[in-house]
Amino acid sequence: MNIARTGASTPAERGERYACDEVAPDLTQLLFRARTVAAEAPTVYRWLGQLRVAPYSWDLIDNLGRRSPRTITDHRPLQVGQQALVIMQVCSFVVDDHLT
């Protein structure tokens, strides 16, 4: 696998089972993105929830030209079916653990 498919993940991380495996069990292509974050799980999870508001990547492309907030602005509880980013929706979540 090359970096475009592994995204800095480790072999152990790629071997784990994830909530998204249940959403699309028959995929023929797997892509991973991994980052080390020096923060507690609840803090990271709150920022993941913020993806409902903004992508925090290329705002011009991914956020329709709007600047992503620099502080947490979305305090609504997560719900399955909520929109996340522009083209995704929340499929499952466990507070302080994962957001799919």
Side-chain angles (χ1 to χ4, degrees):
M1 282 191 148
N2 62 31
I3 191 71
R5 295 187 188 282
T6 60
S9 62
T10 65
E13 288 167 330
R14 292 191 295 275
E16 289 185 30
R17 298 281 303 157
Y18 295 97
C20 58
D21 295 336
E22 305 303 318
V23 175
D26 300 322
L27 293 177
T28 58
Q29 178 174 241
L30 300 176
L31 304 174
F32 291 85
R33 298 294 175 262
R35 297 294 177 261
T36 299
V37 179
E40 298 294 320
T43 301
V44 175
Y45 186 81
R46 285 186 67 204
W47 277 104
L48 287 175
Q50 182 85 351
L51 290 175
R52 292 174 289 173
V53 177
Y56 296 92
S57 58
W58 297 293
D59 283 341
L60 184 61
I61 298 168
D62 297 334
N63 203 21
L64 305 176
R66 296 181 304 256
R67 184 172 185 210
S68 295
R70 297 302 181 240
T71 60
I72 293 177
T73 60
D74 191 344
H75 299 285
R76 296 173 297 150
L78 282 174
Q79 294 179 346
V80 170
Q82 280 180 324
Q83 183 173 341
L85 303 172
V86 175
I87 60 169
M88 300 178 190
Q89 71 176 206
V90 176
C91 294
S92 70
F93 64 92
V94 172
V95 174
D96 297 342
D97 182 70
H98 79 269
L99 170 59
T100 301

